Amino acid sequence: MPKMVGMAVAWLRKEDWPRWLAIDHDFQPDYNHWLKRMEATVKQFEDKGTLLEKVIINPDEFVEWCDVNGYKVGSKARSTYAAQTLAKRHSASH
């Protein structure tokens, strides 16, 4: 049976929060508020049967990726970065 691949979710660490605030001016200033919202979103998807896989994003690697790939720092770019990172991770493991 093929292994199911979940949908990538850009996941951010609390210790990186000051850096995220510095690079993305549209960012939610309170990490705990963001975390509660994201955990609720993950639960909603999982309740519907959608597999989600958290992809921890390093802010500096992300900014470099945006520069190389022509993306503006923001939520759409984070989602794309997470999806590409997850795809690479799964293709490397097969």
Side-chain angles (χ1 to χ4, degrees), residues 47-88:
D47 286 350
K48 293 177 183 172
T50 303
L51 264 166
L52 293 180
E53 196 162 335
K54 295 175 183 173
V55 177
I56 296 172
I57 298 182
N58 174 294
D60 294 319
E61 290 174 8
F62 170 69
V63 168
E64 184 179 319
W65 176 87
C66 284
D67 289 344
V68 167
N69 292 283
Y71 281 87
K72 180 180 181 282
V73 170
S75 61
K76 286 182 183 177
R78 279 191 301 278
S79 295
T80 302
Y81 179 79
Q84 288 184 4
T85 301
L86 183 62
K88 282 181 195 171

Side-chain angles (χ1 to χ4, degrees), residues 7-9 13 15 17 22-23 44-45 51 58 61-62 67 69 82:
M7 191 171 90
V9 175
R13 297 177 299 203
E15 60 266 26
W17 208 250
I23 62 175
Q44 285 177 342
F45 275 95
L51 264 166
N58 174 294
E61 290 174 8
F62 170 69
D67 289 344
N69 292 283

Side-chain angles (χ1 to χ4, degrees), residues 1-14:
M1 248 174 92
K3 184 179 177 190
M4 284 188 58
V5 176
M7 191 171 90
V9 175
W11 206 257
L12 314 176
R13 297 177 299 203
K14 188 170 189 167

Side-chain angles (χ1 to χ4, degrees), residues 8-44:
V9 175
W11 206 257
L12 314 176
R13 297 177 299 203
K14 188 170 189 167
E15 60 266 26
D16 293 331
W17 208 250
R19 180 71 179 120
W20 285 112
L21 290 173
I23 62 175
D24 189 343
H25 301 293
D26 294 330
F27 232 64
Q28 166 60 245
D30 178 18
Y31 176 80
N32 290 325
H33 178 78
W34 172 85
L35 184 61
K36 284 180 187 172
R37 280 187 26 234
M38 287 303 294
E39 286 174 340
T41 299
V42 167
K43 185 176 180 338
Q44 285 177 342

